[in-house]
Every structure is written in structure tokens, then in C-alpha cells.
Amino acid sequence: MSSATVGKLAGKTAFVTGAAQGIGRSIAAAFAREGATVVAADLQPVAPDQPVSQGIEWLQLDVTDPNAMRQIADQHRDIGVLVNCVGIVPAGSVLDTSPAVLSKTFDVNVMSMFNTISALLPSMLAAKEGSIVNIASVVSSTKAVVNRFAYATTKAAVIGLTKSVARDFIDRGVRCNSISPGTVMTPSLQERIAQQGDSALDAFLARQPMGRFGRSEEIAEIAVMLASDAAKFMTGSDIIVDGGMSL
Ligand SMILES: NC(=O)c1ccc[n+]([C@@H]2O[C@H](COP(=O)([O-])OP(=O)(O)OC[C@H]3O[C@@H](n4cnc5c(N)ncnc54)[C@H](O)[C@@H]3O)[C@@H](O)[C@H]2O)c1
């Protein structure tokens, strides 16, 4: 992969998780367009013939596996931008949520971030430069919605994790911020709508006062900004990009 010299992220190497589809895929594509060298990881294989793949190194990887992440860190010591985008969305209130589901949700939504940050932060600190962007959700500490107990609990944890990492490394060149999207049309949202029937589409849309869903590219633009030097004075922030859902 050749390193681009133009673009908001020129000269940076970025690691993006959950990059096979949805928001993560748009982030990987936007980062590549803005000149970053992109290493994109997902549990599912990604089709190398798709246009977004150009200039992106694809890895099939389970980011809940700390050993796998340590290997990536050993192989890629130049990663200066980390975007944690994997996430799962189980349904149910506290009474419907089993310990196994809560534990799995913590594993994917929170432990994965612990694994990637633990593995990649040391080389960022050595370089005295780094930007970590965690994808949280407006459905967490910002706004509660029905039947999202495990999801909201873990996404609130993401915001706390973000602030903690930001504070600890504030004077060592590494920034850590989060993005809280509203309802964004992605394959996982389409799946939830398909599972719940026709009324689900209307119910999801009713949450969005602009009368439309967000687009994954609109989240990717904010990730570009946070990863770029334009955001050098930002750390520990949670940026809400929700089309007014939480107003
Ligand atoms: N879509 C929305 O409305 C919305 C709203 C707010 C926040 N978010 C958050 O944004 C992120 C992306 O959402 P999306 O809708 O694009 O999701 P998505 O389900 O469409 O994509 C998530 C990707 O993560 C991958 N993944 C899951 N577990 C993994 C693992 N252990 N290791 C590697 N990859 C793994 C999946 O294979 C998938 O490709 C999630 O964290 C989600 O919670 C989404």
C-alpha cells in the first residue's frame, strides 16, 4: 500500500474494526479517500472485489480475542488512528436479559475496545501521537429507549471508557473521543426491521425528528474529523450525531 500525500488523513495509518459493513465500512472508505493507509478488520470476510476495498488492507479478525489483537499490534507498529466500531444490539429489558447475553454484549461492545486499545496504545505513546475514536450510541447515557438494556448499559460504558483513556494519556499526545449516532440505516438496522415486521420501520423512523435515518457516511465524516489534526484540541468528548433524536 502506498502512502498518500494529500487528504485530511494523509500520512496516517488507521485501524478500523467492524469494517465489513455499515458505519465501519463507510469509515474505512472515507479514511482511505482522505489519504490514510487503512487496515480494516471484521469477523466476517470482506469481498476484496468491492470498490471500497481499494487501498485498504482487510483482515478477518475477532476483536474480542486479545491474542489476535496483540499479533496485529506486533505486525502494524505504525497505527496512529484506531476506530472501534464493532457492536451488537440485543433486544430486551433488564428482566428479559440473561447473564449470558449481557456478558456477550459487554464482550463485543466493551471488551473489544479494551483489547484494541491495550494492544495499539503503546505504539501510539511511543510515537507521542494517536487518535482513538469509539462508536458509542445516543441510546445510552444520553437517551433511553425501550428494550435496549444490554445495549444501553454497554454503550454508556463506552463513553466512560473513552473519558478514562482520554484523561490518562492527555499529556502524552494520544486523544480519545467517542461518537454517539442516532438511528442510522445499516445492514444491522435492516435486519432488526426485518425481524420485527413492518411496524418496526415506522417506529424507528418516528424516533428521528428529521423524518429520515442517518447515513453511515454522515457518521464517517465526523470520524474523519476526530481522527484528523483538525481535532487536535479535542479529547474525552462524545459527539452526538443523531439528527436531533435526543432533543
Ligand atoms: N446503525 C445504527 O443505527 C447505530 C446507531 C448508534 C450506534 N451504532 C453503533 O455503530 C456501530 C456500527 O453499527 P452498524 O449498524 O454499522 O453495525 P453492523 O452490524 O451493520 O456492523 C457491525 C460490524 O461489526 C462486525 N463485528 C461484530 N462483532 C465483531 C467482532 N467480535 N470482531 C470483529 N468484527 C465484529 C460485524 O461482522 C459487522 O460487520 C456499532 O457499534 C453500533 O452499536 C449504530
Side-chain angles (χ1 to χ4, degrees), residues 21-24 26 183-193 213-216 219:
Q21 64 181 41
I23 295 171
S26 291
T183 318
V184 180
M185 186 45 82
T186 64
S188 81
L189 181 65
Q190 281 166 332
E191 210 175 288
R192 287 194 293 284
I193 290 169
F213 295 115
R215 291 188 289 273
S216 55
I219 309 303

Side-chain angles (χ1 to χ4, degrees), residues 17-25 41-44 46 60-65 84-89 104 107-109 112-113 135-139 151 155 179-189 191-192 207 213-214 216 219:
T17 76
Q21 64 181 41
I23 295 171
R25 186 180 178 87
D42 203 289
L43 202 52
Q44 4 168 10
V46 281
Q60 194 173 355
L61 174 77
D62 181 350
V63 289
T64 65
D65 177 353
N84 283 307
C85 194
V86 302
I88 52 171
V89 191
K104 164 92 180 160
D107 238 23
V108 177
N109 293 2
S112 65
M113 296 192 183
I135 307 301
S137 173
V138 81
V139 177
Y151 185 72
K155 289 298 186 177
I179 299 174
S180 283
T183 318
V184 180
M185 186 45 82
T186 64
S188 81
L189 181 65
E191 210 175 288
R192 287 194 293 284
R207 304 197 315 196
F213 295 115
S216 55
I219 309 303

